[in-house]
């Protein structure tokens, strides 16, 4: 049985001291690969060097997150992605974050940056990894506009997950248990689901999350779909490989 963590952040400073051990622990737990997503110039660069140290295990997705959109040097970020396009498996994370950003200026800038990266994903023929909070309708509309293969990362909003799955997007669920997540899993065909940790985030009491914990998301999908863990793992891993072409 093998597993994939379809979205994590091993470049995060919380992993600086022991990233090698964390990766070994993930391999020991049965993970075949992890997909590390960037959010700004600094951590995109860090992810590229992590990939070099972990070939065939750590795959990378580069982008500019909506949290960083307002302070980003977008031209520099776009050109970093272009220069490294051969070695990446997707563009992300990109998207819209309306919970923390309320002004028209901030949101307008997020949309501009989001569209610039969607356009790049289309040009490079890479899938897009999307962060969306409180901006579901516009997010889906923009992803559709550029016609790129889309993954909705950390899908915890049943309404957005449903709209996205109806468009054929891939729905990525985190490892942490919640009732809204159960609803998302129940409503999404298993062929469109993948599992992630979003490490180091989204774990119990703010504890550091790690890719090895992704197995608990696989177990929850198996339980909700009434499958053996082996069957669920086979399908979910296949979905992640197909989405990222890895
Ligand atoms: Zn993330």
């Amino acid at each position: 049985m093998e597993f994939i963590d379809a979205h994590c952040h091993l470049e995060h400073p919380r992993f600086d001291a022991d990233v090698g051990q964390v990766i070994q622990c993930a391999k020991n737990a049965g993970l075949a690969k992890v997909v590390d997503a960037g959010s700004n110039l600094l951590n995109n660069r860090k992810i590229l060097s992590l990939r070099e140290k972990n070939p065939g295990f750590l795959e990378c997705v580069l982008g500019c997150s909506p949290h960083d959109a307002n302070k980003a040097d977008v031209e520099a970020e776009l050109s970093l992605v272009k220069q490294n396009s051969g070695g990446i498996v997707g563009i992300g994370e990109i998207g819209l974050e309306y919970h923390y950003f309320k002004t028209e200026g901030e949101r307008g800038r997020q949309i501009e940056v989001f569209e610039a990266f969607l356009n790049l994903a289309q040009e490079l023929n890479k899938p897009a990894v999307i962060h969306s909070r409180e901006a579901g309708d516009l997010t889906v509309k923009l992803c559709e506009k550029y016609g790129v293969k889309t993954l909705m990362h950390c899908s915890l909003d049943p309404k957005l997950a449903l709209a996205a799955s109806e468009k054929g997007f891939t729905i990525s669920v985190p490892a942490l248990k919640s009732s809204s997540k159960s609803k998302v899993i129940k409503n999404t065909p298993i062929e469109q689901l993948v599992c992630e940790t979003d490490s180091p985030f989204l774990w119990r009491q703010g504890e550091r999350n790690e890719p090895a914990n992704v197995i608990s998301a696989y177990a929850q999908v198996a339980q909700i779909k009434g499958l053996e863990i082996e069957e669920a793992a086979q399908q979910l891993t296949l979905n992640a490989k197909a989405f990222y072409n890895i």
Side-chain angles (χ1 to χ4, degrees):
M1 217 181 344
E2 60 175 24
F3 307 94
I4 289 176
D5 183 352
H7 183 101
C8 65
H9 303 282
L10 292 182
E11 81 294 348
H12 193 278
R14 286 178 80 182
F15 291 112
D16 279 354
D18 62 348
V19 68
Q21 244 172 293
V22 170
I23 286 174
Q24 194 51 51
C25 181
K27 288 178 178 170
N28 295 346
L31 271 71
K33 281 177 187 291
V34 301
V35 182
D36 198 324
S39 54
N40 60 45
L41 202 53
L42 186 75
N43 64 31
N44 282 330
R45 287 204 181 104
K46 209 165 161 186
I47 293 168
L48 286 168
S49 86
L50 277 173
R51 176 180 159 271
E52 240 165 71
K53 291 180 195 128
N54 299 279
F57 183 75
L58 187 142
E59 301 289 354
C60 74
V61 163
L62 304 184
C64 177
S65 86
H67 287 98
D68 293 271
N70 279 280
K71 46 183 195 289
D73 179 349
V74 177
E75 286 313 311
E77 297 215 21
L78 289 166
S79 77
L80 179 82
V81 176
K82 276 186 205 165
Q83 277 161 24
N84 292 283
S85 63
I88 66 173
V89 300
I91 303 294
E93 59 186 87
I94 54 174
L96 301 172
E97 170 55 75
Y98 281 9
H99 182 74
Y100 290 118
F101 297 89
K102 311 273 188 203
T103 71
E104 209 177 303
E106 289 167 330
R107 291 178 173 183
R109 181 66 180 150
Q110 284 186 11
I111 294 169
E112 260 173 48
V113 174
F114 186 25
E115 290 208 63
F117 278 86
L118 283 171
N119 188 48
L120 182 63
Q122 186 190 50
E123 187 188 313
L124 298 173
N125 194 24
K126 299 277 181 193
V129 175
I130 308 296
H131 170 108
S132 176
R133 199 161 174 204
E134 295 174 19
D137 292 345
L138 182 56
T139 303
V140 171
K141 206 173 112 189
L142 290 174
C143 293
E144 253 201 313
K145 176 178 163 188
Y146 288 88
V148 293
K149 205 155 90 167
T150 302
L151 178 144
M152 301 301 296
H153 131 70
C154 191
S155 278
L156 289 173
D157 171 355
K159 192 173 151 256
L160 172 58
L162 190 64
S165 70
E166 281 171 0
K167 301 288 180 195
F169 298 174
T170 297
I171 307 299
S172 182
V173 290
L176 192 65
K177 277 192 181 181
S178 72
S179 58
S180 63
K181 187 181 79 171
S182 303
K183 222 179 267 175
V184 168
I185 294 171
K186 204 181 279 177
N187 293 341
T188 309
I190 192 166
E191 293 76 17
Q192 280 174 264
L193 281 173
V194 296
C195 298
E196 65 169 77
T197 59
D198 204 22
S199 300
F201 310 112
L202 293 178
W203 201 232
R204 302 160 188 147
Q205 285 103 38
E207 261 175 62
R208 187 179 76 168
N209 202 355
E210 293 187 11
N213 294 329
V214 80
I215 294 167
S216 74
Y218 279 77
Q220 287 161 54
V221 173
Q223 191 206 359
I224 291 169
K225 296 295 189 190
L227 298 169
E228 294 299 324
I229 178 82
E230 289 82 2
E231 285 174 277
Q234 199 183 10
Q235 181 67 54
L236 294 165
T237 303
L238 188 78
N239 297 344
K241 286 182 176 172
F243 179 78
Y244 288 117
N245 196 20
I246 52 180

